[in-house]
Amino acid sequence: MRDGEPLVRWAWIGDHVDELAHYTGVHLRLGLLPVLLGLLISIPLGILCHRWRWAYPPTLTAANILYSIPSLALFMIFVRYTGLTERTVMIPLTLYTLSVLIPNVVDGLAAVPDPVRQAATAMGFSTVRRVVQVELPIAVPVVVAGVRVAAVSSISLVAVGQLIGQGGLGYYITRGLQLDFPTPIITATVLIMLLALVTDALLVLAQRLLTPWARGKGAAA
Amino acid sequence: MNGFLNQLSLVGDWLTSSQQWHGPDGIPHRLLEHLTYSGLSLLFAALIGLSLGLLVGHTGRGAFAVASVANLARAVPTFGLVVLVVTLAGLSTAPVLVALTALAVPPILINTFEGIRGVDPDARDAARGMGMTGWEVLLKAEVPMALPLILLGLRVAAIQVVATATVAAYPGLGGLGRFIVDGLARNDYELVIGGSAVVVLLALVVQAVFTALRRVVVSPGLRAPASGP
């Protein structure tokens, strides 16, 4: 850092509000679409793993192995196929969510009390209808707990995508390093944390709306 | 599929050319750097995270603070933090190690804490009833029962440290990320993909080490299927 340079130059932030808003939007898209895709993959896979328990350990091991691969390396492997595009960032981020979402879907389904399941069957629910209308809603709190972890991690990981030119607010992190200018780096880092925390709070709210029966009982963590 | 085979043969060419195995730009030297950064950070983080986690878990005091710190820490973009540290403190290893350590403490802390908290109260009472002191309850009853979660925390921290140490090549640190960052700068895809392959291999080894560790140290009675990332 140059001598005499303040830690944060507030005027810079004021001058860049529009641009910051644009990159914030991009950042949210890059961070949250993978969580949505991950959920769309994890729900059916979780249901299958719940039904056929033997399939669960290998599925989880595969998801954990994917999770252990550093994002930078995984981005580079996909560059070959999808180029320097947003997809190259979103595919690895989607894969990362699986190691959190699949076990939470399975645990959530496992937490459905047996009498509830039997009651649904006795009322004439078909298996599919029972899973969709009875078991999945009961699993919501555990699934949302996983979605919260996945969303927060995903939003903070997006920035690494800047190394292939697609990092949302990560743009300001590399820019600040090139210019030896800490203001954009601090601004982007704080904004990313805020995005993650606000998303987390909104997910807690969404869970309360999705599970009206749990309200007021002090349940749902 | 053709692309994948091409990629594999690129990796093969790169790995087998002799220049990759000598000098400061060689794989052994970069791997050693990477392992030094990751190992030291993980060691410091484990010392801090385990002792705090055991303390908070055993006494039950400060639980809320631990949960909040862990939640907040997950939101920190590692890339931003590392670049910021280099911009503010200049390019040297020590500040980056501090950042890596800071990022690795929360997963260890929260899982250790949750593990100890989650121990069956009956088992804790039984240990106390057998005349164990507070320390004995902690070390002979609580820690063995909390081991699966403690190991999970260490594994998540290790994965994060290895990944962040890779990214730390961008602001100029050594380690395996250098291959990727330099390859990108030079438009040398062979270097990028070769470096990525080495990083992936290291990640797989870390994962395997923790799986093996779990087999060895966790009591057979506690071995439920692994969960969590």
Side-chain angles (χ1 to χ4, degrees), chain A residues 62 94 97 105-106 108 110 127 136 167 220:
Chain A
T94 305
T97 64
V105 172
V106 173
T127 308
L136 278 179

Short mmCIF file of all heavy atoms in Angstrom, two decimals, chain A residues 62 94 97 105-106 108 110 127 136 167 220:
data_model
loop_
_atom_site.label_atom_id
_atom_site.label_comp_id
_atom_site.label_asym_id
_atom_site.label_seq_id
_atom_site.Cartn_x
_atom_site.Cartn_y
_atom_site.Cartn_z
N ALA A 62 -18.80 -39.58 -2.94
CA ALA A 62 -18.54 -38.86 -4.19
C ALA A 62 -18.71 -37.35 -3.99
O ALA A 62 -17.87 -36.56 -4.42
CB ALA A 62 -19.49 -39.36 -5.28
N THR A 94 -22.14 -25.49 -8.00
CA THR A 94 -23.27 -26.41 -7.85
C THR A 94 -22.80 -27.74 -7.25
O THR A 94 -23.40 -28.28 -6.33
CB THR A 94 -23.93 -26.68 -9.22
OG1 THR A 94 -24.29 -25.43 -9.80
CG2 THR A 94 -25.15 -27.57 -9.09
N THR A 97 -22.26 -27.66 -3.49
CA THR A 97 -23.42 -27.64 -2.60
C THR A 97 -23.90 -29.05 -2.26
O THR A 97 -24.50 -29.26 -1.22
CB THR A 97 -24.61 -26.87 -3.22
OG1 THR A 97 -25.05 -27.57 -4.38
CG2 THR A 97 -24.25 -25.45 -3.57
N VAL A 105 -30.96 -33.46 3.12
CA VAL A 105 -32.22 -34.00 2.63
C VAL A 105 -32.45 -35.39 3.25
O VAL A 105 -33.54 -35.69 3.75
CB VAL A 105 -32.23 -34.08 1.08
CG1 VAL A 105 -33.45 -34.83 0.59
CG2 VAL A 105 -32.18 -32.69 0.48
N VAL A 106 -31.40 -36.21 3.26
CA VAL A 106 -31.54 -37.56 3.80
C VAL A 106 -31.87 -37.51 5.31
O VAL A 106 -32.79 -38.19 5.77
CB VAL A 106 -30.25 -38.38 3.56
CG1 VAL A 106 -30.31 -39.73 4.27
CG2 VAL A 106 -30.03 -38.58 2.07
N GLY A 108 -33.20 -35.04 6.92
CA GLY A 108 -34.54 -34.46 7.08
C GLY A 108 -35.62 -35.51 6.88
O GLY A 108 -36.58 -35.59 7.65
N ALA A 110 -35.20 -38.71 7.22
CA ALA A 110 -35.08 -39.72 8.26
C ALA A 110 -35.76 -39.24 9.55
O ALA A 110 -36.14 -40.05 10.40
CB ALA A 110 -33.61 -40.04 8.53
N THR A 127 -47.15 -43.54 -2.71
CA THR A 127 -45.79 -43.27 -2.23
C THR A 127 -45.32 -41.89 -2.66
O THR A 127 -44.81 -41.11 -1.85
CB THR A 127 -44.82 -44.33 -2.77
OG1 THR A 127 -45.36 -45.61 -2.48
CG2 THR A 127 -43.46 -44.21 -2.12
N LEU A 136 -41.54 -34.42 2.63
CA LEU A 136 -40.69 -33.27 2.32
C LEU A 136 -41.03 -32.04 3.17
O LEU A 136 -40.12 -31.40 3.70
CB LEU A 136 -40.75 -32.93 0.82
CG LEU A 136 -39.85 -33.78 -0.08
CD1 LEU A 136 -40.01 -33.37 -1.55
CD2 LEU A 136 -38.38 -33.68 0.32
N GLY A 167 -16.14 -13.24 -11.51
CA GLY A 167 -16.17 -13.36 -10.05
C GLY A 167 -17.12 -12.40 -9.37
O GLY A 167 -17.03 -12.21 -8.17
N ALA A 220 -37.26 -25.52 15.36
CA ALA A 220 -36.53 -25.03 14.19
C ALA A 220 -35.28 -24.23 14.56
O ALA A 220 -35.37 -23.12 15.06
CB ALA A 220 -37.43 -24.17 13.31
#
